[in-house]
Amino acid sequence: MPTLHPAHPVLRGSAPALALDAELAEAALALVPSDLRDVAGARAANAARHAAAAPVRVRDGVRSADTTLPGPAGPVPVRVLHPVPAGDQEPDEDSWRAGSGAGVRGAVLYLHGGAFALGDLDACDTQCAEYARDADVVVVAVDYRLAPEHPAPAGLEDGVAALRWLHAHAEELGVDPARVAVAGASAGGALAAGTALRARDEGGLPVAHLLLVQPVLDDRRTTASARGLRGVPVFDADANAVMWETYLAGAEADGYVAPARADLRGLPPTTVHLAEHDPLHDEGRDFAAALAAEGVRVATRTYPGTFHGFDSVVPGAGVSRRARADQAAVLRDEVGQPDRAAAHTPEGEADL
C-alpha cells in the first residue's frame, strides 16, 4: 500500500505519513481540503469534484422524480428514486408515486454530506440510484437547508419533516412503513442520527435501521483523529473545526444536533462505516461502542487506506465500489427484504 509522507503536496507538510490504497493515493493530489471559510469557493470545488464522477453515474434500472414537501420554513426539495426491474414498463416516469403493479418495498431517507454547507440532490444522485437499484428500495433524498445561511438545527428540521412526509405518503410511494431506514454520509450522518433520535422521542415515525457513513457526530472534537489529522485529503481536522463553527453559529449543540451528546437508548439497529484516515474516524468508533453499551444492535466497518469521502470523490476506485456495494447490501438486508433478515455482517468491527 503506497505511503504518502508529510512532504507530499496534498498533505501540506503537517499531516502524518499515510498508508493509502493505491488508487486513492493516485487521486489524492487533487483532493486538498476545501476552505470552508470561503463557502462559495468550497461549494464550487465540491460541485466540481462530484461532476468528475459522471462516468460512473447509475441510471439503468432506476427512475426518479423531484418534488417538494412541507417543511418548517417552506417547501423542502426532495428526489424520489424507484427501482425499475428489467423489462418493466413505468408509464408515469415523472411521478414520485409508485407505478401500478410496483408492489411494496422498503424505503431509505437519505441525507447527503457536505459539512452542513455543501451538496445538493445532484451530488448524491449516483449514490441514491445505486441504493434504489441494488437494495431494491425506494429512496427519498433530501435537499435540506445549508449553513451558514441556515445554521443548526435547520437541516435537521428538514430531515424530520421529510421522514414525516415519507410515512404520511407511504402508500402512494409503495413503501412498507415498517421498513424505513434513515441513512446519511458525513454531515448527513449527524442529520440522519438526529432524525432517528427525534423519531424515537416524538413517536409515530418508525425507523427500522440507521446507516451512518463516515458520520459527523461530535462538535467537541476531542478524539485523537479529530485533533491530529490535519492536512489529510478532502476533509481534515481544521475543516472539521470550521464546519462546526459555521453550523452552530455561536449556539450550543444539543444531542439532536451533535448525536454523540445524546442518550442513545432505544435507537434502531445501526451500521457505521468509517474511513481509516478521517478526522471523524474515532468519534464514529466511539459512537458505535456507546450504542452497543445501550443494547442497540450495531455493526461497524473500517476501510483501511482510505480518507474521508473516498467512496464519492474517487468513485471508480475498487475500494470505493466495494464500500458503496456494502452500503447497499446493508440496506437490502435490513429493509429491502420483507423479512429484514439483517444477516449481511456480524456485530462488531470488521476491517476490509
Side-chain angles (χ1 to χ4, degrees):
M1 187 175 288
T3 298
L4 270 63
H5 294 281
H8 190 285
V10 77
L11 301 183
R12 303 189 314 201
S14 61
L18 302 182
L20 290 180
D21 172 89
E23 292 177 287
L24 299 186
E26 184 177 351
L29 277 171
L31 299 175
V32 175
S34 297
D35 181 0
L36 295 177
R37 292 183 176 87
D38 175 11
V39 174
R43 287 174 178 168
N46 187 63
R49 284 174 180 168
H50 288 286
V56 295
R57 286 173 64 86
V58 175
R59 299 311 310 166
D60 291 344
V62 177
R63 69 172 177 89
S64 64
D66 292 352
T67 187
T68 60
L69 56 85
V76 177
V78 296
R79 180 166 296 164
V80 181
L81 301 96
H82 289 268
V84 181
D88 280 14
Q89 298 296 316
E90 289 286 351
D92 191 4
E93 294 184 358
D94 293 329
S95 176
W96 55 264
R97 295 172 175 83
S100 59
V104 177
R105 292 184 166 96
V108 177
L109 182 75
Y110 186 75
L111 296 144
H112 65 76
F116 302 111
L118 318 174
D120 55 25
L121 296 176
D122 290 337
C124 67
D125 188 66
T126 295
Q127 181 67 83
C128 292
E130 288 183 345
Y131 286 170
R133 183 196 65 185
D134 297 341
D136 193 32
V137 293
V138 178
V139 178
V140 178
V142 186
D143 198 7
Y144 56 85
R145 288 171 290 163
L146 300 176
E149 296 88 347
H150 305 285
L156 171 62
E157 295 290 349
D158 290 348
V160 174
L163 183 62
R164 291 194 190 104
W165 181 87
L166 194 163
H167 274 287
H169 295 275
E171 183 174 357
E172 294 168 273
L173 289 162
V175 164
D176 177 356
R179 290 192 285 141
V180 174
V182 179
S186 190
L191 301 178
T195 296
L197 287 161
R198 286 279 300 273
R200 177 201 66 185
D201 294 345
E202 295 179 12
L205 299 173
V207 175
H209 198 78
L210 182 59
L211 171 62
L212 306 177
V213 178
Q214 303 154 49
V216 171
L217 294 163
D218 196 344
D219 66 298
R220 294 165 292 192
R221 310 185 313 281
T222 57
T223 67
S225 64
R227 294 194 308 268
L229 285 177
R230 289 185 167 83
V232 294
V234 179
F235 182 81
D236 68 355
D238 294 334
N240 190 25
V242 176
M243 173 191 70
W244 278 110
E245 291 170 8
T246 303
Y247 185 49
L248 293 177
E252 292 291 326
D254 61 17
Y256 297 123
V257 168
R261 293 176 173 268
D263 177 349
L264 303 181
R265 288 174 290 184
L267 280 180
T270 300
T271 300
V272 184
H273 285 183
L274 304 171
E276 181 183 12
H277 303 301
D278 183 352
L280 306 176
H281 174 275
D282 293 358
E283 65 197 64
R285 176 202 62 200
D286 295 348
F287 189 77
L291 285 167
E294 296 294 355
V296 177
R297 176 168 63 84
V298 61
T300 63
R301 180 163 285 178
T302 295
Y303 293 84
T306 61
F307 44 74
H308 187 78
F310 71 95
D311 50 327
S312 61
V313 299
V314 194
V319 66
S320 300
R321 293 180 183 274
R322 290 193 299 274
R324 296 197 310 275
D326 290 341
Q327 295 162 31
V330 170
L331 297 172
R332 181 181 64 245
D333 292 346
E334 294 288 351
V335 298
Q337 302 294 331
D339 59 0
R340 307 202 308 279
H344 72 279
T345 187
E347 293 184 9
E349 179 81 16
D351 287 332
L352 296 181

